[in-house]
Amino acid sequence: EETIFALSSGGGGASVGGGATAVAVIRMSGPCAFDALRELLSSSPKGISGDGKLPKLPKARMASLRTLYDPLTNNNNEKRDPLDSALILTFPGPNSFTGEDIVELHCHGSRAVVNGVLSALTHLNSVPIPATTSKESQQNGRRLSLRPADPGEFTQRAYAHGKLGLVEVEALSDLIVADTSLQRKQALMQFDGRLSRLYMGWREELIKGLAHAEAVIDFGDDEALDPDEEDEDDMDGDGGMSIWGGISPRITLLRQAMERHLADASRGELLRDGLRIAIVGRPNAGKSSLLNLLAGRDAAIVSSTPGTTRDVVEVILDLGGVRCTLLDTAGVREEKEEGVNEIEVEGMKRARMAAKDAHIVVGVVDSTDYERGLEAVDELINGDGDFNDWKKDSILYVVNKVDLNSDTRENGCLSKSNSFGISCTTSEGVNDFLSVLTKQALSLVSRSNNDASSTALSSLEGSEGAVITRARHRRHVEAAADALGRFEVLSGQGYMALDMAAEELRLAASEL
């Protein structure tokens, strides 16, 4: 198997588009990793294949400061040019991340250093390896075999060598790209094997039931297959002749556990993928101003000219640990109004689609034009039959420009439930609105709407911290639960359906 190498930290190389950093980590993994390190540590112009003098490697898992030398040195000097002074760590396999020999080079993070080390490793491909043992001396033509790693190949090798399961690999991917604290905590809970242990426990229970069924098929049920179930069966009044004994009740409990696991309103997926919050309303209501205020920067153009925003502008926010994508949309008004053109009509279509796909909708209404503004928001929400009831409960009304209308509350502008009076110019009421918006986001990833900020993390810790975070997980658990439902029907039909009931158990186990 080839030895692979790659820059494992951010910044450093021009090839990855990064800038300079204080430290860059370059990782090697494979059977030739230690030999490649020896070559970089050798100051001899001929390398380790020239004078046969092998540099001493650092002790395993102990950091050592060494000088790396450039094998591309092309001069008559007695010594190679230095590449960098680097901190070196070695991890002999199989006790490493990938299960192979691993070398980590902690170099300075400039582009010159990183590119120099990567070029040196590329040059080492096909360099002869000197024999260090009598066994190796009998093997002619041993050469280094290094190449740049493909994306995710280190993790792929960890999976291939049994160091990580598929669920842990997915959790590692989530952890690497986590933007918020709750995403990080959810990924760590999955990475430590909680979800795998839950699914393996279910699978073991199914295998026990399947073994029971196969034993009945092969040997009949003249004798109790499980001594612990004999008394329980007699209490049922069937003389111990029940085909499934105590297996059927346990399978029922298992199916109920799966259904509880599935009945989470996709909270794990929402936390992993993030929420979408659409800001909608009439032109000049202050949607772009609100987006800029919440983002803390000028992300969208603000103008008094109606229809300035044509496309959807996206900004990423961290609301209480929940990753949220804030969407500024085009103003919605009647297409027959003066000044509306086909480009603005397309923008309004995209605004409606953004609101339809959003998890939370913020309707912005101009307090100086309250009636028309509220009508436009309500028409967008109620006029689309695709809006679900739960989404209608996730609508917040923001009455903007209260600084221009001192009678906002007296005029009934805040009569709507979940309505807030704010001013994007003076920031009046913005903190109260942001607090409620954060609670609303937390409630969508929590088990309870009460005190959502304190229950968001506890919801992750349900079922021993195991929550569904991907559609793939949900699809397999749903298929397993459906198979167990069919088993419950067939298990009550006696010997005639014994084979089919056992097959449903096998199908459920295969899904896990």
Side-chain angles (χ1 to χ4, degrees):
E1 190 172 11
E2 293 178 306
T3 298
I4 57 176
F5 64 90
L7 176 67
S8 296
S9 62
S15 60
V16 295
T21 59
V23 178
V25 180
I26 296 174
R27 177 190 283 176
M28 292 183 282
S29 177
C32 297
F34 290 169
D35 291 316
L37 175 60
R38 289 189 180 96
E39 186 71 25
L40 292 179
L41 295 177
S42 175
S43 61
S44 170
K46 296 183 179 180
I48 60 176
S49 61
D51 53 16
K53 186 177 180 181
L54 299 179
K56 186 178 180 180
L57 295 181
K59 292 183 179 180
R61 297 173 186 82
M62 293 188 65
S64 177
L65 182 64
R66 299 290 186 90
T67 299
L68 303 179
Y69 293 94
D70 188 0
L72 298 175
T73 301
N74 186 18
N75 53 41
N76 297 322
N77 295 339
E78 297 180 356
K79 192 174 182 180
R80 288 176 170 176
D81 294 336
L83 274 173
D84 191 26
S85 179
L87 202 63
I88 297 173
L89 287 165
T90 61
F91 302 90
N95 299 319
S96 66
F97 174 73
T98 62
E100 305 171 328
D101 292 340
I102 285 183
V103 173
E104 287 187 358
L105 308 175
H106 295 241
C107 310
H108 292 94
S110 69
R111 292 187 177 187
V113 171
V114 172
N115 288 339
V117 175
L118 294 177
S119 297
L121 291 174
T122 303
H123 171 75
L124 293 182
N125 189 36
S126 300
V127 169
I129 305 174
T132 57
T133 66
S134 58
K135 180 179 179 181
E136 291 178 353
S137 64
Q138 301 174 1
Q139 302 176 1
N140 296 325
R142 291 184 69 246
R143 293 180 177 273
L144 290 175
S145 179
L146 283 83
R147 63 170 176 82
D150 295 329
E153 190 169 0
F154 286 96
T155 304
Q156 182 182 13
R157 292 195 176 192
Y159 173 73
H161 293 136
K163 292 296 180 176
L164 294 176
L166 183 56
V167 174
E168 285 72 32
V169 169
E170 293 172 331
L172 179 59
S173 174
D174 293 343
L175 182 60
I176 291 173
V177 300
D179 290 322
T180 68
S181 59
L182 289 182
Q183 286 181 323
R184 168 178 55 82
K185 291 174 182 178
Q186 177 173 271
L188 284 173
M189 288 179 181
Q190 184 174 333
F191 185 65
D192 71 3
R194 299 188 189 192
L195 194 59
S196 293
R197 289 194 295 271
L198 176 66
Y199 292 160
M200 289 305 298
W202 289 351
R203 178 176 169 80
E204 289 174 2
E205 189 69 23
L206 290 172
I207 291 175
K208 289 179 182 178
L210 186 58
H212 181 108
E214 292 176 349
V216 172
I217 293 172
D218 291 340
F219 306 109
D221 64 341
D222 292 337
E223 298 181 2
L225 297 175
D226 187 344
D228 295 334
E229 297 171 1
E230 184 173 2
D231 294 339
E232 182 181 345
D233 293 342
D234 290 339
M235 291 175 62
D236 292 338
D238 61 5
M241 296 299 291
S242 172
I243 297 176
W244 293 103
I247 297 297
S248 188
R250 293 208 295 265
I251 296 298
T252 299
L253 293 176
L254 183 57
R255 176 187 56 78
Q256 293 172 349
M258 290 182 182
E259 291 177 347
R260 287 194 300 271
H261 190 62
L262 291 167
D264 61 351
S266 300
R267 292 182 178 91
E269 292 104 315
L270 289 178
L271 183 55
R272 173 182 173 269
D273 298 331
L275 303 179
R276 298 177 66 84
I277 303 175
I279 304 177
V280 300
R282 279 186 58 82
N284 282 0
K287 301 182 298 300
S288 297
S289 298
L290 179 59
L291 177 87
N292 292 341
L293 193 62
L294 296 179
R297 59 185 178 89
D298 292 335
I301 298 175
V302 177
S303 171
S304 59
T305 304
T308 302
T309 302
R310 303 296 180 88
D311 210 340
V312 178
V313 179
E314 298 187 1
V315 172
I316 304 299
L317 294 182
D318 181 347
L319 297 181
V322 181
R323 183 183 189 274
C324 297
T325 302
L326 200 60
L327 309 174
D328 179 24
T329 64
V332 179
R333 56 177 172 168
E334 294 291 336
E335 297 182 9
K336 60 184 179 181
E337 288 188 26
E338 182 181 357
V340 177
N341 54 39
E342 60 181 8
I343 299 178
E344 188 173 353
V345 170
E346 177 62 28
M348 288 189 285
K349 290 181 180 179
R350 297 189 180 192
R352 292 186 176 91
M353 289 298 299
K356 174 184 174 182
D357 296 334
H359 303 97
I360 300 175
V361 175
V362 177
V364 181
V365 179
D366 186 344
S367 65
T368 62
D369 189 15
Y370 178 76
E371 295 296 335
R372 286 204 306 167
L374 183 62
E375 180 182 354
V377 174
D378 287 344
E379 188 276 332
L380 184 145
I381 295 170
N382 299 320
D384 192 339
D386 292 329
F387 264 77
N388 298 320
D389 291 337
W390 70 266
K391 187 173 291 188
K392 293 180 180 179
D393 295 334
S394 299
I395 299 172
L396 302 178
Y397 292 88
V398 173
V399 180
N400 189 27
K401 305 180 184 180
V402 294
D403 55 316
L404 302 179
N405 186 359
S406 58
D407 298 330
T408 299
R409 189 173 298 278
E410 288 75 7
N411 294 340
C413 295
L414 300 180
S415 59
K416 279 274 191 182
S417 59
N418 291 335
S419 61
F420 306 87
I422 72 166
S423 170
C424 290
T425 302
T426 65
S427 298
E428 177 186 347
V430 173
N431 288 336
D432 292 339
F433 164 70
L434 185 59
S435 176
V436 173
L437 180 63
T438 301
K439 291 180 180 180
Q440 186 74 22
L442 286 167
S443 70
L444 294 177
V445 298
S446 306
R447 292 187 181 274
S448 172
N449 290 333
N450 297 323
D451 195 13
S453 59
S454 63
T455 59
L457 179 59
S458 63
S459 69
L460 299 181
E461 298 172 349
S463 301
E464 301 181 355
V467 294
I468 295 176
T469 59
R470 292 176 182 263
R472 184 182 70 84
H473 303 170
R474 185 172 300 277
R475 183 171 63 253
H476 286 297
V477 175
E478 285 176 346
D482 290 343
L484 295 188
R486 295 191 296 270
F487 163 82
E488 292 182 45
V489 175
L490 295 169
S491 63
Q493 299 178 9
Y495 277 110
M496 296 299 294
L498 181 59
D499 291 351
M500 291 186 290
E503 177 64 13
E504 295 299 339
L505 289 182
R506 187 194 67 78
L507 290 174
S510 67
E511 293 291 341
L512 302 176

